Amino acid sequence: MGSSFSSATKPKIFYPPSPEEILVKKPGGGVGPESLSKLVEEHCPSLRKEFNPPWWLKSGHLQTLFSVAGDFTNVDKVVYARTYLRLMDGGTLGLDFTPPGSTFPDDAPIIVVCHGLTGGSYEAYVRAVLAPACAPVSEGGLGYRAVVVNFRGCAGVPVTSKQLYSAGWTEDLRMATIYLAHKYPRAPQLGLGFSLGANVMVRYLAEEGERSRLESACVLGNPWDLVKNNWALEHTFLGKQIYSKGMANNLVNVLKLHSKALEKVDPPTPSPTSKYEPDSTQASLVCAAYHAALALRSPPLSVFDNTFTRVGGGGPPVWPLASADAYYKHSSSHHVVPQVRKPLLAINSTDDPVVVHAPTSPEEVGSGYTVVVLTDGGGHLGWFEPSSGQVLVGTDVSKLHLRRWMTKPALEWLRLAAEVLVHGHPDHPPKDIIVDENGWIREVNGAREGLGCRMVDGGDLIDGTELKKEPGMLQGL
């Protein structure tokens, strides 16, 4: 894999050697088993259609750089209503719901989105799926609702603890699914992950197994093996100087935006309503890592991760980790896929300059619940192709008649997961949820003592095309 010039070719679909029998709703009533491969063949026809990039976006580099530099403000309009969750460890998540103010049946599906490295609900690749997915059926949409889980410090979410996020930290997604199950107990949750968020989502599915609150997931541009992909990224000139340093610069800018929360150790102030007490030693380590990271000069991603992410990218008992390499080994998702027990569709591009290594055979996946699709073009979260016969050049997507190939397969998979699959596992239901005496939303007898949340004030309506990336931040990664 790697960046090369591509022309119109059909994607390669890798089914498991022994696809699982998935319980589905049968026409006319009743339920019964169906092969995962047959379900994909019947319900996801776009996976067999060619990806045909325009002549000026033929390579993975061009597709990726257009995703970074393109003007997407006039396409895929999405408006969100934000809810802030305060976590028991003191951190804050920002959940952006769409469409706001709409009334849905209790069992209307919810698409749960995890964005890329330093992105958020404003990202064009997120809106490319949510705009049609959340449009009314009368307008050609799926009529679903969605929520983007904005990681700590991303998309305007404040940092309120001595911790950020990382490819291996799944607790914040887990808490979001618990909150959603509490708020909408009859609504199936459908996962949609991009890049780093795709890795988080696959790890969550593997950790939860049959008890996952996500009924299925579609992940795009997943980095899978972080050790191999970081090595490959930093052993080419463009990989190191453009992509690796660009992503590290984004992360440095996240730290700068939240300097007041990270630059010094505050006196410990455990919540009187929580049994969870902040780890003062970990807080001191994160502060030291913050200052060390800001002293770096144009670091590649591995140097930033070795300086900060291995320390502040998660919480005890796993964090801090010994090195960037230890972080990559722990946080990779390729080796946990065999533990996934919910249907998973993974789409990668063979010319992705950021994710050079992706599974290329069923044996590499090792899961009867997982289907891997590889396109011969598309770059990293690009997949731009003409939406009409016109071939134009520029940066304003609304004037170029471009669309993203990946949108249709993602929508088809989400419809399959929502309307065909039987939800839940009768023998392995998720844990019950309570609101404890102090107002924390928690799982009953949850193994993670510090996992709980409460709503806090501050949410508002947000136009996804106006929630701009911060100055100096690259979009699209």
Side-chain angles (χ1 to χ4, degrees), residues 44-376:
C44 302
S46 291
L47 290 175
R48 298 189 300 277
K49 292 185 178 179
E50 294 179 342
F51 166 65
N52 187 19
W55 63 266
W56 54 282
L57 291 176
K58 286 288 188 182
S59 79
H61 288 303
L62 294 173
Q63 287 271 335
T64 303
L65 293 174
F66 187 79
S67 187
V68 170
D71 179 3
F72 301 93
T73 54
N74 295 315
V75 297
D76 299 321
K77 298 282 188 177
V78 178
V79 177
Y80 302 98
R82 175 163 292 185
T83 294
Y84 285 115
L85 300 182
R86 182 61 44 79
L87 309 178
M88 291 184 72
D89 66 6
T92 300
L93 294 182
L95 303 188
D96 286 351
F97 290 86
T98 191
S102 299
T103 301
F104 287 89
D106 292 344
D107 59 352
I110 302 176
I111 304 169
V112 183
V113 183
C114 287
H115 57 77
L117 183 69
T118 51
S121 58
Y122 62 86
E123 289 283 8
Y125 56 73
V126 171
R127 293 185 283 112
V129 179
L130 294 194
C134 298
V137 174
S138 60
E139 298 177 11
L142 297 183
Y144 299 168
R145 49 192 166 184
V147 58
V148 181
V149 182
N150 295 293
F151 297 139
R152 307 178 191 216
C154 292
V157 176
V159 172
T160 55
S161 68
K162 296 296 186 287
Q163 182 187 321
L164 290 184
Y165 60 94
S166 68
W169 182 251
T170 58
E171 294 292 72
D172 292 350
L173 172 58
R174 181 172 288 105
M175 189 65 253
T177 66
I178 293 170
Y179 171 78
L180 293 170
H182 168 73
K183 187 175 177 65
Y184 306 107
R186 297 188 59 217
Q189 299 182 38
L190 316 175
L192 178 65
F194 300 88
S195 195
L196 179 138
N199 193 85
V200 172
M201 192 162 282
V202 172
R203 287 188 58 85
Y204 166 83
L205 289 171
E207 291 168 2
E208 293 296 314
E210 291 91 347
R211 297 185 187 276
S212 167
R213 295 187 187 277
L214 296 180
E215 297 293 345
S216 76
C218 174
V219 295
L220 301 113
N222 184 13
W224 298 104
D225 188 332
L226 302 183
V227 175
K228 281 187 176 181
N229 276 308
N230 186 74
W231 188 93
L233 187 68
E234 296 191 358
H235 279 75
T236 66
F237 178 80
L238 288 178
K240 183 174 184 178
Q241 299 300 324
I242 302 298
Y243 303 113
S244 182
K245 289 188 175 183
M247 289 187 287
N249 181 68
N250 274 11
L251 289 164
V252 169
N253 283 329
V254 170
L255 297 186
K256 290 178 179 178
L257 285 170
H258 302 287
S259 58
K260 289 185 178 180
L262 299 170
E263 64 186 359
K264 62 181 180 179
V265 180
D266 301 316
T269 54
S271 168
T273 61
S274 171
K275 297 178 181 178
Y276 183 89
E277 294 188 10
D279 187 322
S280 58
T281 301
Q282 174 70 358
S284 297
L285 291 173
V286 171
C287 287
Y290 161 83
H291 288 289
L294 290 195
L296 299 172
R297 293 294 175 263
S298 190
L301 188 58
S302 63
V303 172
F304 178 89
D305 287 337
N306 194 60
T307 305
F308 184 84
T309 309
R310 70 174 184 86
V311 180
V318 175
W319 266 260
L321 292 154
S323 64
D325 194 57
Y327 159 62
Y328 296 147
K329 288 178 180 177
H330 166 78
S331 302
S332 293
S333 59
H334 71 291
H335 56 79
V336 300
V337 177
Q339 282 75 59
V340 170
R341 292 294 181 271
K342 298 287 185 173
L344 172 63
L345 173 66
I347 303 178
N348 283 83
S349 166
T350 59
D351 69 353
D352 187 334
V354 176
V355 181
V356 179
H357 295 282
T360 56
S361 71
E363 289 72 24
E364 282 188 84
V365 177
S367 167
Y369 291 87
T370 302
V371 176
V372 174
V373 177
L374 296 178
T375 61
D376 282 335

